[in-house]
Amino acid sequence: MLYRTAGQFKTSYKADQALFPIRQDAVLLAIILTFAWVIFPMTASEFAFQTLLIPILIYSLAAMGLNILTGYAGQLSLGTAAFMGVGAYACYKLIEVMDPILAILLSGVFSAGIGVIFGIPSLRIKGFYLAIATLAAQFFLVWLFEKWAWLYNYNASGAIQVPNLQTFGVYVTGPQASSVTQYYVILGIVTLMTVLCINLTRGTLGRTWKATRDMDIAAELIGINLMRSKLTAFAISSYLVGVAGALFVFMWRGAAEPNLFDIPLSFDILFIAIIGGLGSILGNYLGAILIVGLPVVLNTVPEALGLEIKSATVEHYNIMIVGALIVFFLIIEPHGLARLWALIREKLIIWPFPH
Amino acid sequence: MLDQSQGYVTADGRQIGGVLMEMKDITLRFGGVTAIKDISFDIHEGEIRAIIGPNGAGKSSMLNVISGFYTPQEGEVWYKGAPRPAMKPYEVARMGVARTFQNIALFEGMTVLDNVMTGRLNHMKAGILAQAIWWGKARDEEIANREHVERVIDFLEIQSIRKTPVGRLPYGLKKRVELARALAAEPSLLLLDEPMAGMNVEEKEDMSRFILDVNDEFGTTIALIEHDMGVVMDLSDRVVVMDYGKKIGDGTPDEVRNDQTVIDAYLGVPQE
Ligand SMILES: Nc1ncnc2c1ncn2[C@@H]1O[C@H](COP(=O)(O)OP(=O)(O)O)[C@@H](O)[C@H]1O
Ligand SMILES: [Mg+2]
């Protein structure tokens, strides 16, 4: 009864192509948006902003970027963190000459450019070999972040420190900015990017990417320019990842050293995309909630129950659970949490009359 | 424009146009293997042209040359009266050549509808930004192309599976979806590589009917490879016979059926 489609008939292709052919989906989304835009910011503690809300949004965006490339266009990348780094360093340079929010949005253009350059090998190599090539990008870029002192304005520490900056008289970055302000800026950007990604992936470009992913030879023979398909995927993916990197440093961490953008971060993003579901937009959120939320739950729940667990032990549990989930999803459900949700939704639609 | 003076009238009274595509002295080698040896033949506008021959004769290779997937070492492909320069397969597709594959090559992760929609990619012109905001031209185009795709889906009678992921479909239906994807492109030349291989009698009859209807209703020129001699004789206007990379016969089904070289090499005893 919750998810009834009876009485909802589609009378035009336009209606059938609508984002929410089923009314309940729209209702559910409205509820989620109300929480995200009104209830959370009104009620969240500083702790909730900093350990859950803000990182979940930023990791979701980074995973969405990776998902465009890997889940939709089928090009595996292990260099996500390095492209986040390109966004962050570009943003560090751009804030000197422009509004910080504009700088964040523009920083993705630089990571997109670098992404296209490192995407060129994908025109010749695939799968495992491409993953290795992106790994090379990962190492090279982090090395560059260390060695190219101009990037961090020749700071003695070699790190970038986020200054206090205002947009329209309100502090949006640096220690002076309030969490709720930063949360709204991030939410605004992530919402916008999500809408654009949903549109891109359900239209012509999305079909071009999926065709390239599923069978590249057939794609080329039906008229797809594979080079264009792959490079647009690298560009758009790297743009999103770069913006996520800029948000990561300027709206959350407050400072960054080169090794912040090392492989472990790349893998975190990859795990979010895999657990959430490759080839899904929703999955990035589900995966980010799980990966960001799990350590928080492991840290706080036993404590609330009066159990004493060392933080090193929590760390181990976290790694073990994430590892088990990865294995589970890769083997049992390669389409991740998003597919599990789709199955539940299908069940709800026919419930309580499953025939 | 084509030189229509070269047209002809078929046995069943259909007017066939001039030469749409002509293969001139094509030789294709893979290392030591010569898959195609000095073959020439033409395809007229509006006709159903069959290529037959035993396994390994070089038929699929010939379609791949037409598609631009293989570049022959010798010879030229002429299209609409002019030699075709070296082209990438996607450029050939954009000239109006669509095809199906001997081993089904659908996009398994997509629904039937999305697979058929990919067939229309060459008709989609909206820029990336317009697509991202799903407004104006991008949205209108999506709807217009969806309407066209729905006509193809109706035509091939696959309405009930349009939202099904193709990975779940049985073999015979997959072949039909592949034809739908090719038709969605509104090709001027349709290449079918063994469209009926592995089908049961009923599915073959359906497929034959669709091929004839496509040719009849849209005037689409069709070049097809087929093993089943009965089918070939029923469907095609003219037949090229290949054997070990060489052309050993070319003519109407009746001519080919009674050609001694063809009988010796391939057909064995005359059919019927
Ligand atoms: N890509 C290729 N590389 C090497 N040899 C090939 C290739 N494609 C086809 N051949 C060879 O060319 C010959 C003709 O193959 P093919 O065109 O598939 O024949 P048919 O479609 O008539 O069965 C065969 O001997 C086959 O092994
Ligand atoms: Mg073949």
Side-chain angles (χ1 to χ4, degrees), chain A residues 248-272:
Chain A
F248 185 75
V249 172
F250 284 78
M251 295 264 155
W252 187 45
R253 301 295 298 243
E257 291 177 23
N259 63 14
L260 182 62
F261 306 108
D262 240 325
I263 292 184
L265 181 59
S266 288
F267 274 104
D268 279 346
I269 308 295
L270 184 62
F271 291 163
I272 290 174

Side-chain angles (χ1 to χ4, degrees), chain B residues 30 33 35 54-62 70 102 194:
Chain B
F30 297 106
V33 182
N55 260 331
K59 308 180 296 294
S60 293
S61 301
M62 184 57 90
Y70 293 150
Q102 182 170 353
E194 305 202 13

Side-chain angles (χ1 to χ4, degrees), chain A:
Chain A
M1 286 301 280
L2 283 172
Y3 251 86
R4 290 313 277 285
T5 53
Q8 299 185 31
F9 299 111
K10 275 138 261 170
T11 49
S12 71
Y13 299 129
K14 193 172 155 186
D16 194 37
Q17 281 165 327
L19 263 186
F20 304 106
I22 298 175
R23 202 179 305 128
Q24 285 84 344
D25 283 333
V27 173
L28 188 62
L29 182 76
I31 293 172
I32 292 171
L33 285 179
T34 312
F35 268 92
W37 282 91
V38 185
I39 298 177
F40 287 151
M42 273 175 22
T43 58
S45 64
E46 192 60 24
F47 177 79
F49 274 124
Q50 291 302 325
T51 59
L52 290 171
L53 295 176
I54 288 178
I56 283 172
L57 286 175
I58 295 173
Y59 277 87
S60 300
L61 182 62
M64 194 154 69
L66 177 62
N67 222 319
I68 293 281
L69 186 65
T70 304
Y72 285 91
Q75 311 300 305
L76 186 54
S77 167
L78 297 177
T80 314
F83 292 105
M84 289 176 75
V86 174
Y89 282 95
C91 191
Y92 192 57
K93 286 288 162 186
L94 289 170
I95 51 168
E96 288 173 16
V97 291
M98 64 179 75
D99 173 272
I101 294 178
L102 202 61
I104 288 170
L105 290 173
L106 217 63
S107 62
V109 174
F110 292 83
S111 52
I114 306 282
V116 168
I117 292 171
F118 282 103
I120 290 172
S122 73
L123 307 178
R124 302 303 295 265
I125 57 179
K126 310 188 212 187
F128 177 71
Y129 297 96
L130 179 62
I132 298 301
T134 60
L135 206 54
Q138 167 75 54
F139 287 124
F140 171 75
L141 288 170
V142 171
W143 174 83
L144 197 69
F145 300 154
E146 259 167 47
K147 297 294 168 199
W148 194 8
W150 176 81
L151 281 178
Y152 45 87
N153 289 355
Y154 306 98
N155 279 344
S157 64
I160 51 180
Q161 201 71 39
V162 177
N164 291 306
L165 293 171
Q166 297 181 333
T167 292
F168 299 118
V170 181
Y171 280 108
V172 291
T173 70
Q176 299 258 40
S178 73
S179 287
V180 67
T181 311
Q182 294 191 310
Y183 172 79
Y184 271 119
V185 172
I186 297 167
L187 184 61
I189 291 176
V190 174
T191 307
L192 173 72
M193 298 297 163
T194 304
V195 171
L196 299 182
C197 280
I198 288 173
N199 286 339
L200 280 180
T201 51
R202 70 189 173 131
T204 306
L205 194 56
R207 284 190 287 268
T208 307
W209 287 337
K210 286 186 256 181
T212 307
R213 169 196 73 191
D214 285 350
M215 189 160 285
D216 54 356
I217 291 178
E220 187 170 27
L221 282 162
I222 68 168
I224 290 174
N225 180 343
L226 289 181
M227 179 174 88
R228 212 178 111 82
S229 170
K230 289 177 182 176
L231 293 186
T232 51
F234 268 97
I236 290 168
S237 159
S238 306
Y239 175 83
L240 297 166
V241 167
V243 170
L247 290 173
F248 185 75
V249 172
F250 284 78
M251 295 264 155
W252 187 45
R253 301 295 298 243
E257 291 177 23
N259 63 14
L260 182 62
F261 306 108
D262 240 325
I263 292 184
L265 181 59
S266 288
F267 274 104
D268 279 346
I269 308 295
L270 184 62
F271 291 163
I272 290 174
I274 291 174
I275 291 177
L278 291 174
S280 153
I281 299 290
L282 171 70
N284 303 304
Y285 287 93
L286 302 178
I289 289 170
L290 200 133
I291 293 284
V292 175
L294 186 62
V296 178
V297 171
L298 289 179
N299 266 314
T300 52
V301 171
E303 206 179 272
L305 295 176
L307 297 169
E308 244 181 83
I309 302 182
K310 285 203 212 75
S311 66
T313 319
V314 167
E315 180 91 344
H316 287 140
Y317 280 134
N318 190 41
I319 292 174
M320 278 159 54
I321 295 175
V322 170
L325 283 172
I326 292 282
V327 173
F328 169 81
F329 279 112
L330 282 180
I331 294 173
I332 312 285
E333 186 47 87
H335 295 282
L337 291 169
R339 171 61 59 86
L340 292 184
W341 162 242
L343 291 176
I344 294 171
R345 182 173 164 278
E346 258 178 50
K347 289 259 166 10
L348 284 176
I349 287 174
I350 53 175
W351 186 83
F353 307 109
H355 294 292

